[in-house]
Amino acid sequence: MRTNIVVSIITILFSAFFLIQTGQIVERETDATLSSTFWPTFLLSSMLVLGIILLVKTIIQQKTNRADAAEEQEGVEAQLDDSDFVDEAPAFPNRLWLMIAISFAYVILLPLVGFILSSLVILVAITLLMGVKKWSSLVLTSVLGTAFLTFLFINLLRVPLPRGVGIFRDLSLLIY
């Protein structure tokens, strides 16, 4: 409980400080649909709201736990014994390391094969790692996710994406 309170206060202070700082960003005249302060303001405002929600939720939960703890203490002590506690190992202990390896592979592949192909490959790998078994879901998630990200970065945010080298560059030029 204290950890949630500390994290929420740090989040509120961090986001409030940098939200104030975004007011000092100099706007430039561009043909972009969104201003240069849109994303920092949006993300920091979201962080601020989520930090406040976490703080309020934790305080309410802490008050209800104190009231319930006194009632449950007597009944729980009589029912518990040592056999009720079991140490369980994580179901997939290597999943974290595989995700890190996939992320490094993405960073290496991105400039070589371009955004579209490397994003397709990484989304397939992550979807498989997360346990999706149906090929239709796997392909649909990867293709639609890559298409959405490509549309978002190119058309809405006007961010140039890596196109790759050689034949991958030619393929990227056909698409965007």
Side-chain angles (χ1 to χ4, degrees):
M1 294 281 179
R2 285 183 191 247
T3 305
N4 282 351
I5 291 174
V6 170
V7 167
S8 63
I9 290 172
I10 290 172
T11 302
I12 291 168
L13 293 174
F14 176 86
S15 57
F17 174 76
F18 284 105
L19 193 56
I20 293 168
Q21 298 299 318
T22 58
Q24 298 174 2
I25 295 176
V26 178
E27 296 283 335
R28 294 185 186 165
E29 291 294 324
T30 63
D31 61 346
T33 56
L34 301 174
S35 70
S36 59
T37 60
F38 174 77
W39 284 111
T41 303
F42 174 75
L43 293 174
L44 290 166
S45 299
S46 299
M47 280 179 61
L48 182 65
V49 168
L50 291 173
I52 292 170
I53 289 171
L54 178 63
L55 181 63
V56 169
K57 188 176 175 181
T58 304
I59 290 172
I60 291 171
Q61 187 178 19
Q62 192 173 26
K63 286 182 180 179
T64 57
N65 285 350
R66 285 182 186 161
D68 294 340
E71 295 173 8
E72 293 179 16
Q73 185 67 25
E74 296 170 359
V76 171
E77 288 177 355
Q79 295 175 358
L80 290 179
D81 61 10
D82 291 338
S83 64
D84 290 336
F85 299 101
V86 178
D87 289 334
E88 292 184 17
F92 301 102
N94 294 326
R95 188 177 282 181
L96 171 66
W97 298 111
L98 287 172
M99 188 67 77
I100 291 171
I102 290 170
S103 299
F104 277 118
Y106 182 69
V107 170
I108 292 169
L109 284 176
L110 193 60
L112 299 175
V113 298
F115 179 78
I116 292 178
L117 186 60
S118 59
S119 294
L120 274 172
V121 170
I122 190 106
L123 286 175
V124 166
I126 289 173
T127 308
L128 283 172
L129 186 63
M130 292 297 123
V132 173
K133 304 264 191 250
K134 290 175 58 178
W135 283 96
S136 59
S137 298
L138 182 88
V139 170
L140 192 64
T141 301
S142 302
V143 170
L144 289 179
T146 301
F148 172 75
L149 290 173
T150 303
F151 176 79
L152 176 73
F153 285 122
I154 291 174
N155 295 329
L156 296 179
L157 300 177
R158 306 219 186 262
V159 174
L161 299 174
R163 295 185 187 261
V165 294
I167 192 167
F168 301 116
R169 180 170 177 75
D170 296 337
L171 178 65
S172 295
L173 289 172
L174 288 174
I175 298 171
Y176 66 93

mmCIF file of all heavy atoms in Angstrom, residues 49-91:
data_model
loop_
_atom_site.group_PDB
_atom_site.id
_atom_site.type_symbol
_atom_site.label_atom_id
_atom_site.label_comp_id
_atom_site.label_asym_id
_atom_site.label_seq_id
_atom_site.Cartn_x
_atom_site.Cartn_y
_atom_site.Cartn_z
ATOM 1 N N VAL A 49 -3.477 12.116 -14.482
ATOM 2 C CA VAL A 49 -4.784 11.555 -14.142
ATOM 3 C C VAL A 49 -4.633 10.155 -13.553
ATOM 4 O O VAL A 49 -5.252 9.823 -12.534
ATOM 5 C CB VAL A 49 -5.708 11.552 -15.379
ATOM 6 C CG1 VAL A 49 -6.953 10.722 -15.135
ATOM 7 C CG2 VAL A 49 -6.077 12.971 -15.772
ATOM 8 N N LEU A 50 -3.803 9.320 -14.166
ATOM 9 C CA LEU A 50 -3.608 7.960 -13.655
ATOM 10 C C LEU A 50 -2.944 7.959 -12.278
ATOM 11 O O LEU A 50 -3.255 7.121 -11.431
ATOM 12 C CB LEU A 50 -2.809 7.137 -14.650
ATOM 13 C CG LEU A 50 -3.542 6.804 -15.951
ATOM 14 C CD1 LEU A 50 -2.595 6.131 -16.936
ATOM 15 C CD2 LEU A 50 -4.757 5.953 -15.691
ATOM 16 N N GLY A 51 -2.022 8.885 -12.054
ATOM 17 C CA GLY A 51 -1.400 9.001 -10.733
ATOM 18 C C GLY A 51 -2.411 9.389 -9.669
ATOM 19 O O GLY A 51 -2.401 8.850 -8.554
ATOM 20 N N ILE A 52 -3.307 10.311 -10.009
ATOM 21 C CA ILE A 52 -4.351 10.720 -9.064
ATOM 22 C C ILE A 52 -5.313 9.563 -8.797
ATOM 23 O O ILE A 52 -5.695 9.312 -7.655
ATOM 24 C CB ILE A 52 -5.092 11.968 -9.593
ATOM 25 C CG1 ILE A 52 -4.144 13.178 -9.570
ATOM 26 C CG2 ILE A 52 -6.347 12.253 -8.782
ATOM 27 C CD1 ILE A 52 -4.677 14.401 -10.290
ATOM 28 N N ILE A 53 -5.690 8.844 -9.855
ATOM 29 C CA ILE A 53 -6.584 7.693 -9.688
ATOM 30 C C ILE A 53 -5.945 6.644 -8.796
ATOM 31 O O ILE A 53 -6.598 6.097 -7.895
ATOM 32 C CB ILE A 53 -6.967 7.101 -11.061
ATOM 33 C CG1 ILE A 53 -7.899 8.045 -11.803
ATOM 34 C CG2 ILE A 53 -7.604 5.727 -10.911
ATOM 35 C CD1 ILE A 53 -8.169 7.658 -13.241
ATOM 36 N N LEU A 54 -4.667 6.358 -9.005
ATOM 37 C CA LEU A 54 -3.973 5.378 -8.170
ATOM 38 C C LEU A 54 -3.928 5.825 -6.723
ATOM 39 O O LEU A 54 -4.158 5.018 -5.805
ATOM 40 C CB LEU A 54 -2.557 5.128 -8.694
ATOM 41 C CG LEU A 54 -1.707 4.153 -7.890
ATOM 42 C CD1 LEU A 54 -2.325 2.760 -7.904
ATOM 43 C CD2 LEU A 54 -0.285 4.115 -8.425
ATOM 44 N N LEU A 55 -3.667 7.098 -6.477
ATOM 45 C CA LEU A 55 -3.603 7.605 -5.112
ATOM 46 C C LEU A 55 -4.954 7.491 -4.424
ATOM 47 O O LEU A 55 -5.043 6.974 -3.297
ATOM 48 C CB LEU A 55 -3.122 9.060 -5.110
ATOM 49 C CG LEU A 55 -2.970 9.727 -3.751
ATOM 50 C CD1 LEU A 55 -1.907 9.010 -2.929
ATOM 51 C CD2 LEU A 55 -2.621 11.188 -3.917
ATOM 52 N N VAL A 56 -6.013 7.928 -5.091
ATOM 53 C CA VAL A 56 -7.347 7.865 -4.495
ATOM 54 C C VAL A 56 -7.774 6.416 -4.260
ATOM 55 O O VAL A 56 -8.282 6.075 -3.192
ATOM 56 C CB VAL A 56 -8.371 8.610 -5.395
ATOM 57 C CG1 VAL A 56 -9.796 8.351 -4.952
ATOM 58 C CG2 VAL A 56 -8.070 10.097 -5.417
ATOM 59 N N LYS A 57 -7.527 5.570 -5.244
ATOM 60 C CA LYS A 57 -7.904 4.156 -5.112
ATOM 61 C C LYS A 57 -7.141 3.486 -3.964
ATOM 62 O O LYS A 57 -7.716 2.705 -3.203
ATOM 63 C CB LYS A 57 -7.611 3.441 -6.432
ATOM 64 C CG LYS A 57 -8.104 2.044 -6.509
ATOM 65 C CD LYS A 57 -7.841 1.479 -7.901
ATOM 66 C CE LYS A 57 -8.223 0.038 -7.984
ATOM 67 N NZ LYS A 57 -7.952 -0.537 -9.298
ATOM 68 N N THR A 58 -5.883 3.792 -3.820
ATOM 69 C CA THR A 58 -5.075 3.200 -2.752
ATOM 70 C C THR A 58 -5.537 3.680 -1.388
ATOM 71 O O THR A 58 -5.615 2.885 -0.447
ATOM 72 C CB THR A 58 -3.586 3.538 -2.959
ATOM 73 O OG1 THR A 58 -3.186 3.093 -4.245
ATOM 74 C CG2 THR A 58 -2.721 2.887 -1.906
ATOM 75 N N ILE A 59 -5.854 4.954 -1.276
ATOM 76 C CA ILE A 59 -6.315 5.478 0.018
ATOM 77 C C ILE A 59 -7.652 4.857 0.398
ATOM 78 O O ILE A 59 -7.857 4.453 1.546
ATOM 79 C CB ILE A 59 -6.400 7.023 -0.032
ATOM 80 C CG1 ILE A 59 -4.987 7.614 -0.094
ATOM 81 C CG2 ILE A 59 -7.161 7.568 1.171
ATOM 82 C CD1 ILE A 59 -4.944 9.101 -0.336
ATOM 83 N N ILE A 60 -8.571 4.737 -0.562
ATOM 84 C CA ILE A 60 -9.869 4.113 -0.276
ATOM 85 C C ILE A 60 -9.682 2.652 0.109
ATOM 86 O O ILE A 60 -10.294 2.162 1.053
ATOM 87 C CB ILE A 60 -10.810 4.258 -1.493
ATOM 88 C CG1 ILE A 60 -11.215 5.722 -1.661
ATOM 89 C CG2 ILE A 60 -12.037 3.369 -1.345
ATOM 90 C CD1 ILE A 60 -11.962 6.020 -2.936
ATOM 91 N N GLN A 61 -8.836 1.955 -0.623
ATOM 92 C CA GLN A 61 -8.589 0.544 -0.335
ATOM 93 C C GLN A 61 -7.930 0.371 1.031
ATOM 94 O O GLN A 61 -8.242 -0.564 1.773
ATOM 95 C CB GLN A 61 -7.707 -0.053 -1.428
ATOM 96 C CG GLN A 61 -7.527 -1.541 -1.324
ATOM 97 C CD GLN A 61 -6.676 -2.082 -2.474
ATOM 98 O OE1 GLN A 61 -5.952 -1.339 -3.119
ATOM 99 N NE2 GLN A 61 -6.785 -3.368 -2.705
ATOM 100 N N GLN A 62 -7.063 1.271 1.375
ATOM 101 C CA GLN A 62 -6.385 1.194 2.672
ATOM 102 C C GLN A 62 -7.386 1.378 3.811
ATOM 103 O O GLN A 62 -7.312 0.678 4.824
ATOM 104 C CB GLN A 62 -5.292 2.256 2.734
ATOM 105 C CG GLN A 62 -4.334 2.107 3.868
ATOM 106 C CD GLN A 62 -3.187 3.099 3.772
ATOM 107 O OE1 GLN A 62 -3.323 4.165 3.170
ATOM 108 N NE2 GLN A 62 -2.064 2.755 4.349
ATOM 109 N N LYS A 63 -8.339 2.296 3.654
ATOM 110 C CA LYS A 63 -9.338 2.517 4.695
ATOM 111 C C LYS A 63 -10.267 1.313 4.843
ATOM 112 O O LYS A 63 -10.615 0.926 5.956
ATOM 113 C CB LYS A 63 -10.147 3.768 4.382
ATOM 114 C CG LYS A 63 -9.372 5.037 4.619
ATOM 115 C CD LYS A 63 -10.207 6.260 4.344
ATOM 116 C CE LYS A 63 -9.387 7.518 4.584
ATOM 117 N NZ LYS A 63 -10.155 8.728 4.300
ATOM 118 N N THR A 64 -10.670 0.716 3.727
ATOM 119 C CA THR A 64 -11.556 -0.450 3.819
ATOM 120 C C THR A 64 -10.816 -1.667 4.357
ATOM 121 O O THR A 64 -11.404 -2.487 5.051
ATOM 122 C CB THR A 64 -12.186 -0.787 2.454
ATOM 123 O OG1 THR A 64 -11.152 -1.018 1.502
ATOM 124 C CG2 THR A 64 -13.106 0.313 1.985
ATOM 125 N N ASN A 65 -9.536 -1.783 4.051
ATOM 126 C CA ASN A 65 -8.752 -2.914 4.559
ATOM 127 C C ASN A 65 -8.573 -2.842 6.068
ATOM 128 O O ASN A 65 -8.565 -3.863 6.750
ATOM 129 C CB ASN A 65 -7.391 -2.984 3.881
ATOM 130 C CG ASN A 65 -7.486 -3.517 2.474
ATOM 131 O OD1 ASN A 65 -8.532 -4.010 2.045
ATOM 132 N ND2 ASN A 65 -6.409 -3.400 1.735
ATOM 133 N N ARG A 66 -8.430 -1.644 6.591
ATOM 134 C CA ARG A 66 -8.272 -1.494 8.049
ATOM 135 C C ARG A 66 -9.538 -1.929 8.774
ATOM 136 O O ARG A 66 -9.472 -2.565 9.816
ATOM 137 C CB ARG A 66 -7.932 -0.049 8.398
ATOM 138 C CG ARG A 66 -6.525 0.337 8.088
ATOM 139 C CD ARG A 66 -6.240 1.757 8.492
ATOM 140 N NE ARG A 66 -4.919 2.158 8.063
ATOM 141 C CZ ARG A 66 -4.534 3.407 7.949
ATOM 142 N NH1 ARG A 66 -5.365 4.388 8.243
ATOM 143 N NH2 ARG A 66 -3.310 3.693 7.547
ATOM 144 N N ALA A 67 -10.681 -1.582 8.215
ATOM 145 C CA ALA A 67 -11.944 -1.954 8.851
ATOM 146 C C ALA A 67 -12.180 -3.459 8.767
ATOM 147 O O ALA A 67 -12.656 -4.081 9.723
ATOM 148 C CB ALA A 67 -13.093 -1.198 8.196
ATOM 149 N N ASP A 68 -11.865 -4.048 7.634
ATOM 150 C CA ASP A 68 -12.087 -5.484 7.446
ATOM 151 C C ASP A 68 -11.049 -6.332 8.169
ATOM 152 O O ASP A 68 -11.324 -7.481 8.519
ATOM 153 C CB ASP A 68 -12.070 -5.833 5.954
ATOM 154 C CG ASP A 68 -13.228 -5.204 5.214
ATOM 155 O OD1 ASP A 68 -14.226 -4.834 5.874
ATOM 156 O OD2 ASP A 68 -13.145 -5.096 3.969
ATOM 157 N N ALA A 69 -9.871 -5.798 8.362
ATOM 158 C CA ALA A 69 -8.782 -6.581 8.953
ATOM 159 C C ALA A 69 -9.093 -7.015 10.379
ATOM 160 O O ALA A 69 -8.777 -8.139 10.780
ATOM 161 C CB ALA A 69 -7.485 -5.788 8.926
ATOM 162 N N ALA A 70 -9.710 -6.147 11.127
ATOM 163 C CA ALA A 70 -10.015 -6.486 12.518
ATOM 164 C C ALA A 70 -11.024 -7.621 12.591
ATOM 165 O O ALA A 70 -10.902 -8.524 13.425
ATOM 166 C CB ALA A 70 -10.545 -5.259 13.245
ATOM 167 N N GLU A 71 -12.020 -7.614 11.705
ATOM 168 C CA GLU A 71 -13.044 -8.658 11.708
ATOM 169 C C GLU A 71 -12.496 -9.999 11.242
ATOM 170 O O GLU A 71 -12.841 -11.047 11.772
ATOM 171 C CB GLU A 71 -14.208 -8.246 10.822
ATOM 172 C CG GLU A 71 -14.959 -7.033 11.315
ATOM 173 C CD GLU A 71 -16.004 -6.577 10.313
ATOM 174 O OE1 GLU A 71 -16.236 -7.295 9.314
ATOM 175 O OE2 GLU A 71 -16.579 -5.505 10.519
ATOM 176 N N GLU A 72 -11.672 -9.975 10.223
ATOM 177 C CA GLU A 72 -11.173 -11.210 9.638
ATOM 178 C C GLU A 72 -10.038 -11.840 10.426
ATOM 179 O O GLU A 72 -9.781 -13.032 10.294
ATOM 180 C CB GLU A 72 -10.691 -10.950 8.201
ATOM 181 C CG GLU A 72 -11.795 -10.590 7.253
ATOM 182 C CD GLU A 72 -11.282 -10.321 5.860
ATOM 183 O OE1 GLU A 72 -10.130 -10.702 5.564
ATOM 184 O OE2 GLU A 72 -12.012 -9.737 5.069
ATOM 185 N N GLN A 73 -9.343 -11.068 11.222
ATOM 186 C CA GLN A 73 -8.159 -11.551 11.929
ATOM 187 C C GLN A 73 -8.473 -12.753 12.806
ATOM 188 O O GLN A 73 -7.742 -13.737 12.814
ATOM 189 C CB GLN A 73 -7.549 -10.426 12.765
ATOM 190 C CG GLN A 73 -6.261 -10.792 13.448
ATOM 191 C CD GLN A 73 -5.138 -11.033 12.459
ATOM 192 O OE1 GLN A 73 -5.145 -10.515 11.358
ATOM 193 N NE2 GLN A 73 -4.183 -11.838 12.854
ATOM 194 N N GLU A 74 -9.581 -12.698 13.505
ATOM 195 C CA GLU A 74 -9.913 -13.778 14.433
ATOM 196 C C GLU A 74 -10.238 -15.065 13.690
ATOM 197 O O GLU A 74 -9.788 -16.141 14.052
ATOM 198 C CB GLU A 74 -11.091 -13.353 15.300
ATOM 199 C CG GLU A 74 -10.779 -12.172 16.183
ATOM 200 C CD GLU A 74 -12.028 -11.613 16.848
ATOM 201 O OE1 GLU A 74 -13.133 -12.145 16.605
ATOM 202 O OE2 GLU A 74 -11.901 -10.645 17.599
ATOM 203 N N GLY A 75 -11.017 -14.995 12.625
ATOM 204 C CA GLY A 75 -11.421 -16.185 11.886
ATOM 205 C C GLY A 75 -10.307 -16.785 11.062
ATOM 206 O O GLY A 75 -10.200 -18.003 10.917
ATOM 207 N N VAL A 76 -9.438 -15.963 10.515
ATOM 208 C CA VAL A 76 -8.368 -16.438 9.646
ATOM 209 C C VAL A 76 -7.301 -17.181 10.425
ATOM 210 O O VAL A 76 -6.802 -18.213 9.975
ATOM 211 C CB VAL A 76 -7.744 -15.248 8.869
ATOM 212 C CG1 VAL A 76 -6.496 -15.662 8.123
ATOM 213 C CG2 VAL A 76 -8.762 -14.655 7.915
ATOM 214 N N GLU A 77 -6.948 -16.713 11.577
ATOM 215 C CA GLU A 77 -5.896 -17.353 12.361
ATOM 216 C C GLU A 77 -6.251 -18.790 12.722
ATOM 217 O O GLU A 77 -5.396 -19.664 12.768
ATOM 218 C CB GLU A 77 -5.623 -16.542 13.630
ATOM 219 C CG GLU A 77 -4.907 -15.248 13.366
ATOM 220 C CD GLU A 77 -4.719 -14.425 14.631
ATOM 221 O OE1 GLU A 77 -5.229 -14.824 15.707
ATOM 222 O OE2 GLU A 77 -4.054 -13.384 14.542
ATOM 223 N N ALA A 78 -7.495 -19.042 12.955
ATOM 224 C CA ALA A 78 -7.910 -20.397 13.330
ATOM 225 C C ALA A 78 -7.889 -21.338 12.131
ATOM 226 O O ALA A 78 -7.677 -22.540 12.280
ATOM 227 C CB ALA A 78 -9.311 -20.351 13.926
ATOM 228 N N GLN A 79 -8.092 -20.834 10.924
ATOM 229 C CA GLN A 79 -8.205 -21.690 9.744
ATOM 230 C C GLN A 79 -6.890 -21.955 9.039
ATOM 231 O O GLN A 79 -6.764 -22.927 8.303
ATOM 232 C CB GLN A 79 -9.181 -21.063 8.745
ATOM 233 C CG GLN A 79 -10.591 -20.999 9.280
ATOM 234 C CD GLN A 79 -11.507 -20.272 8.316
ATOM 235 O OE1 GLN A 79 -11.064 -19.796 7.279
ATOM 236 N NE2 GLN A 79 -12.773 -20.183 8.675
ATOM 237 N N LEU A 80 -5.905 -21.106 9.178
ATOM 238 C CA LEU A 80 -4.654 -21.242 8.435
ATOM 239 C C LEU A 80 -3.687 -22.196 9.121
ATOM 240 O O LEU A 80 -3.573 -22.224 10.337
ATOM 241 C CB LEU A 80 -3.963 -19.892 8.283
ATOM 242 C CG LEU A 80 -4.621 -18.891 7.353
ATOM 243 C CD1 LEU A 80 -3.820 -17.606 7.333
ATOM 244 C CD2 LEU A 80 -4.740 -19.438 5.955
ATOM 245 N N ASP A 81 -2.994 -22.975 8.303
ATOM 246 C CA ASP A 81 -1.850 -23.730 8.776
ATOM 247 C C ASP A 81 -0.765 -23.656 7.701
ATOM 248 O O ASP A 81 -0.955 -23.072 6.652
ATOM 249 C CB ASP A 81 -2.213 -25.170 9.142
ATOM 250 C CG ASP A 81 -2.756 -25.961 7.964
ATOM 251 O OD1 ASP A 81 -2.686 -25.463 6.829
ATOM 252 O OD2 ASP A 81 -3.222 -27.085 8.190
ATOM 253 N N ASP A 82 0.378 -24.248 7.951
ATOM 254 C CA ASP A 82 1.513 -24.120 7.039
ATOM 255 C C ASP A 82 1.280 -24.762 5.680
ATOM 256 O O ASP A 82 1.929 -24.408 4.703
ATOM 257 C CB ASP A 82 2.771 -24.718 7.674
ATOM 258 C CG ASP A 82 3.244 -23.874 8.834
ATOM 259 O OD1 ASP A 82 2.881 -22.677 8.872
ATOM 260 O OD2 ASP A 82 3.958 -24.415 9.700
ATOM 261 N N SER A 83 0.384 -25.715 5.577
ATOM 262 C CA SER A 83 0.164 -26.399 4.298
ATOM 263 C C SER A 83 -0.594 -25.538 3.292
ATOM 264 O O SER A 83 -0.680 -25.886 2.120
ATOM 265 C CB SER A 83 -0.599 -27.706 4.533
ATOM 266 O OG SER A 83 -1.892 -27.418 5.037
ATOM 267 N N ASP A 84 -1.140 -24.410 3.709
ATOM 268 C CA ASP A 84 -1.887 -23.551 2.799
ATOM 269 C C ASP A 84 -0.984 -22.707 1.898
ATOM 270 O O ASP A 84 -1.442 -22.163 0.905
ATOM 271 C CB ASP A 84 -2.804 -22.606 3.587
ATOM 272 C CG ASP A 84 -3.956 -23.348 4.247
ATOM 273 O OD1 ASP A 84 -4.303 -24.438 3.750
ATOM 274 O OD2 ASP A 84 -4.488 -22.845 5.245
ATOM 275 N N PHE A 85 0.268 -22.584 2.247
ATOM 276 C CA PHE A 85 1.170 -21.738 1.483
ATOM 277 C C PHE A 85 2.070 -22.593 0.607
ATOM 278 O O PHE A 85 2.763 -23.475 1.088
ATOM 279 C CB PHE A 85 2.034 -20.881 2.422
ATOM 280 C CG PHE A 85 1.201 -19.969 3.272
ATOM 281 C CD1 PHE A 85 0.923 -20.288 4.585
ATOM 282 C CD2 PHE A 85 0.669 -18.807 2.737
ATOM 283 C CE1 PHE A 85 0.142 -19.455 5.364
ATOM 284 C CE2 PHE A 85 -0.102 -17.966 3.508
ATOM 285 C CZ PHE A 85 -0.379 -18.283 4.827
ATOM 286 N N VAL A 86 2.052 -22.306 -0.698
ATOM 287 C CA VAL A 86 2.842 -23.063 -1.654
ATOM 288 C C VAL A 86 3.660 -22.074 -2.471
ATOM 289 O O VAL A 86 3.130 -21.105 -2.992
ATOM 290 C CB VAL A 86 1.930 -23.893 -2.597
ATOM 291 C CG1 VAL A 86 2.754 -24.641 -3.612
ATOM 292 C CG2 VAL A 86 1.064 -24.834 -1.795
ATOM 293 N N ASP A 87 4.949 -22.323 -2.561
ATOM 294 C CA ASP A 87 5.800 -21.497 -3.411
ATOM 295 C C ASP A 87 5.700 -22.023 -4.830
ATOM 296 O O ASP A 87 6.021 -23.179 -5.094
ATOM 297 C CB ASP A 87 7.258 -21.552 -2.944
ATOM 298 C CG ASP A 87 7.442 -20.822 -1.634
ATOM 299 O OD1 ASP A 87 6.641 -19.906 -1.361
ATOM 300 O OD2 ASP A 87 8.374 -21.171 -0.892
ATOM 301 N N GLU A 88 5.248 -21.167 -5.727
ATOM 302 C CA GLU A 88 5.120 -21.573 -7.120
ATOM 303 C C GLU A 88 6.135 -20.816 -7.958
ATOM 304 O O GLU A 88 6.315 -19.615 -7.802
ATOM 305 C CB GLU A 88 3.717 -21.281 -7.639
ATOM 306 C CG GLU A 88 2.658 -22.142 -6.991
ATOM 307 C CD GLU A 88 1.291 -21.897 -7.610
ATOM 308 O OE1 GLU A 88 1.228 -21.334 -8.709
ATOM 309 O OE2 GLU A 88 0.305 -22.272 -6.984
ATOM 310 N N ALA A 89 6.750 -21.540 -8.876
ATOM 311 C CA ALA A 89 7.686 -20.913 -9.800
ATOM 312 C C ALA A 89 6.876 -20.245 -10.906
ATOM 313 O O ALA A 89 5.764 -20.659 -11.208
ATOM 314 C CB ALA A 89 8.624 -21.970 -10.394
ATOM 315 N N PRO A 90 7.405 -19.216 -11.520
ATOM 316 C CA PRO A 90 6.691 -18.588 -12.627
ATOM 317 C C PRO A 90 6.467 -19.592 -13.752
ATOM 318 O O PRO A 90 7.284 -20.483 -13.989
ATOM 319 C CB PRO A 90 7.610 -17.460 -13.082
ATOM 320 C CG PRO A 90 8.772 -17.456 -12.188
ATOM 321 C CD PRO A 90 8.660 -18.574 -11.225
ATOM 322 N N ALA A 91 5.341 -19.430 -14.457
ATOM 323 C CA ALA A 91 4.985 -20.383 -15.507
ATOM 324 C C ALA A 91 5.976 -20.339 -16.676
ATOM 325 O O ALA A 91 6.319 -21.367 -17.241
ATOM 326 C CB ALA A 91 3.579 -20.088 -16.003
#
